[in-house]
Amino acid sequence: MDRLLGALRAAGEPTRLRILGLLNQGELTVTELTHILRQSQPRVSRHLRLLCDADLLDRFREGAWVFYRLSDRDDAQALVTTIAELIPEEDPEFSRDLERLAEVRARRAAEAADYFSRHAPEWDRMRSLYVPEEQVEATLLSLAKQQRPQRLLDIGTGTGRILEVFSPHIRRGLGIDLSAEMLTVARNNLAQKRLGHCQVRLGDMYDIPADRASQDTVVLHQVLHFADDPSLAIREAARVLRPGGTCLIVDFAPHEKEFLREEHAHRRLGFSDEEINGLGEAAGLAPTAVEHLDGGELTVTIWRLDQPGVDNKTLLEAAE
Ligand SMILES: C[S@@+](CC[C@H](N)C(=O)[O-])C[C@H]1O[C@@H](n2cnc3c(N)ncnc32)[C@H](O)[C@@H]1O
């Protein structure tokens, strides 16, 4: 009762309600919120601190930037989303906030478009070498759905595409990537598609910012060929997987396209089934499926590796 009263008290103030309404549209930095709300940074920061203290918001730092988002803790999420959804968009002050939010987003989108236009020719060339992405995504989804994932971690999320593909089937999605530019694009995509249950964070595949056994499914989609230590990346993926969870790796079968090293920074020219399955087994994972998607100059392979054991949650679900 005390926590609920505290949360309602924290939300019960005009600027704080506007903040909840804005963050319901996606994550924002303090600087962006200050610009939208037209209030001084110390004032905005004080409101944000009160909302965080009442567990209505989550805060995280990425380099020099501090981001805020609506809390996704199980006990707070329903309350905070309900309050945020009730804020009338036609309220004069809030509708001006939403206009300024649209400006902030347009600026971010322009930055993202600039980044993409600088890289688009290389990516187009790359994509032309293998089967259409839709085919890869459909196969990946069908392999994962057998496990009915609730919490999904996408390692090397890039633009957040894999989170988007899985979003209708999961309760929570987390994408990590080393590139802040990619994360800006991913945040824009997730906000535009209103995928509030998916979020992205700066993070390294060798030191994943997630707890042991905290994820049902982990995906590495076209990431492992950048790794100078694929074995460590798979061990980290195994660490965060719950017993009975699934690791899905999508990459190329062995090939000889040296230009991918020179022009695309690939370290590895594909992986054999023996290598990935062996690395999985060394990390304690059991290889359970392999799909080869031929139909281009490069073969795309999807490996499924399962964490042995079934935890209590899965047993309970199975009993229901
Ligand atoms: C080819 S993109 C694939 C993006 C996404 N998985 C997809 O398929 O749409 C590879 C991504 O891996 C990221 N990456 C490379 N090394 C990484 C590392 N050590 N930790 C996390 N991400 C990394 C890159 O920044 C890039 O966004």
Side-chain angles (χ1 to χ4, degrees):
M1 185 65 106
D2 285 348
R3 280 191 56 191
L4 177 60
L5 277 170
L8 290 170
R9 258 185 231 118
E13 194 277 339
T15 304
R16 294 202 282 276
L17 270 183
R18 287 162 64 198
I19 291 176
L20 295 181
L22 286 165
L23 294 178
N24 193 32
Q25 315 276 327
E27 300 172 351
L28 290 168
T29 64
V30 189
T31 316
E32 289 168 338
L33 278 166
T34 306
H35 170 80
I36 295 169
L37 295 165
R38 296 280 197 265
Q39 295 188 11
S40 71
Q41 181 139 345
R43 253 184 103 179
V44 173
S45 294
R46 195 179 64 84
H47 287 304
L48 289 167
R49 199 171 49 247
L50 281 167
L51 290 166
C52 284
D53 288 349
D55 290 335
L56 291 174
L57 297 187
D58 292 331
R59 167 190 198 278
F60 60 96
R61 179 177 281 281
E62 244 180 51
W65 291 7
V66 179
F67 283 89
Y68 288 85
R69 58 176 281 121
L70 296 187
S71 170
D72 66 355
R73 290 170 41 152
D74 284 338
D75 52 349
Q77 197 196 23
L79 175 68
V80 74
T81 335
T82 308
I83 296 174
E85 294 283 344
L86 286 170
I87 301 168
E89 293 198 358
E90 62 282 7
D91 173 83
E93 208 154 31
F94 188 51
S95 72
R96 272 198 302 279
D97 289 345
L98 291 176
E99 278 166 27
R100 283 194 287 263
L101 173 65
E103 285 162 25
V104 165
R105 288 227 178 110
R107 222 176 10 251
R108 277 202 225 142
E111 282 165 24
D114 176 51
Y115 177 68
F116 271 103
S117 62
R118 278 185 276 130
H119 293 277
E122 304 149 39
W123 287 338
D124 284 348
R125 178 163 180 218
M126 177 86 218
R127 266 195 298 271
S128 69
L129 296 174
Y130 56 90
V131 290
E133 290 288 356
E134 301 80 60
Q135 196 179 329
V136 178
E137 291 168 2
T139 313
L140 183 62
L141 210 48
S142 75
L143 281 171
K145 266 163 72 181
Q146 294 161 12
Q147 292 291 91
R148 294 204 274 139
Q150 298 267 307
R151 294 155 302 172
L152 178 125
L153 172 70
D154 181 28
I155 300 176
T157 194
T159 61
R161 173 66 195 159
I162 293 298
L163 291 174
E164 204 181 313
V165 168
F166 276 87
S167 61
H169 312 285
I170 56 175
R171 204 158 57 85
R172 296 255 200 289
L174 172 67
I176 63 158
D177 203 287
L178 265 193
S179 154
E181 272 173 317
M182 282 297 206
L183 292 179
T184 303
V185 179
R187 279 197 184 97
N188 254 6
N189 288 343
L190 297 175
Q192 247 166 28
K193 307 214 158 93
R194 309 285 311 253
L195 301 178
H197 63 308
C198 295
Q199 50 181 299
V200 292
R201 293 276 176 283
L202 201 64
D204 191 345
M205 65 175 145
Y206 301 125
D207 185 15
I208 298 174
D211 290 338
R212 176 177 297 279
S214 60
Q215 308 296 320
D216 298 302
T217 296
V218 172
V219 180
L220 284 137
H221 183 264
Q222 299 291 10
V223 177
L224 213 55
H225 53 240
F226 292 109
D228 45 17
D229 191 348
S231 148
L232 177 55
I234 294 179
R235 283 207 305 280
E236 259 300 89
R239 179 185 66 80
V240 300
L241 265 185
R242 67 154 166 89
T246 293
C247 173
L248 290 158
I249 299 175
V250 185
D251 221 294
F252 297 118
H255 61 83
E256 290 176 357
K257 301 220 173 291
E258 276 294 337
F259 83 91
L260 291 178
R261 285 211 166 110
E262 286 137 30
E263 295 170 30
H264 292 261
H266 289 204
R267 281 190 69 82
R268 299 294 310 274
L269 298 184
F271 296 91
S272 67
D273 296 349
E274 291 70 32
E275 180 171 11
I276 295 294
N277 290 340
L279 292 177
E281 282 171 336
L285 302 175
T288 48
V290 182
E291 296 273 353
H292 297 288
L293 304 176
D294 302 313
E297 291 180 50
L298 293 171
T299 295
V300 175
T301 308
I302 306 181
W303 296 270
R304 183 174 136 182
L305 305 157
D306 289 346
Q307 182 77 280
V310 177
D311 63 5
N312 291 339
K313 179 175 146 282
T314 312
L315 285 175
L316 278 173
E317 278 170 6
E320 276 167 12

